[in-house]
Amino acid sequence: MNLKNTYPLIFLFENVLPFHDLPDYIFDLIDFKGEVTELRRLIGLFPSWECTKAQDRAVYGLAVKRGEKLSQDDVSFNEEQALEALKKHPEIEKLFRETFPFIDL
């Protein structure tokens, strides 16, 4: 999840979903002006989630699956390794789909 993805989500929420189906965090996202690293905390995604290194790598696999490139400045593994971790940890994709059913992978 990054700022580039946030604005289309806000449009989706405002124009497609019924008001009573909006997640609580959407109103915080509308006014969000913080750093992208604050998004996880804002929407409640893994706020205190303890995970293995492989599970953390699998989260990056989700980004790769959505077409994002990994920067070697940010992580010590490549896209193929992230996707392999995601294959080994299907619970990560399951949780993502449950949390963000409106985002295609």
Side-chain angles (χ1 to χ4, degrees):
M1 185 95 195
N2 57 38
L3 287 177
K4 180 174 67 176
N5 302 112
T6 303
Y7 299 112
L9 293 177
I10 293 169
F11 176 82
L12 171 75
F13 286 139
E14 290 178 335
N15 296 293
V16 177
L17 294 175
F19 185 78
H20 63 278
D21 287 341
L22 295 176
D24 294 335
Y25 60 79
I26 189 59
F27 301 104
D28 294 326
L29 282 175
I30 290 170
D31 295 326
F32 182 74
K33 304 225 185 332
E35 297 292 322
V36 70
T37 55
E38 298 172 25
L39 283 174
R40 284 185 177 182
R41 181 190 50 77
L42 178 72
I43 63 175
L45 180 62
F46 316 133
S48 61
W49 184 53
E50 293 188 27
C51 63
T52 66
K53 283 186 176 183
Q55 288 172 318
D56 185 58
R57 194 173 283 191
V59 172
Y60 284 94
L62 293 170
V64 172
K65 201 170 178 182
R66 297 188 64 235
E68 298 291 328
K69 299 289 184 201
L70 298 183
S71 168
Q72 294 302 302
D73 294 333
D74 297 328
V75 295
S76 62
F77 48 89
N78 61 36
E79 284 90 359
E80 293 79 22
Q81 292 168 316
L83 288 171
E84 184 62 31
L86 186 58
K87 285 181 190 174
K88 291 180 180 178
H89 292 280
E91 73 277 9
I92 302 300
E93 186 168 338
K94 180 179 184 284
L95 179 60
F96 181 86
R97 289 182 183 279
E98 289 171 356
T99 305
F100 300 106
F102 46 85
I103 298 178
D104 293 326
L105 287 177

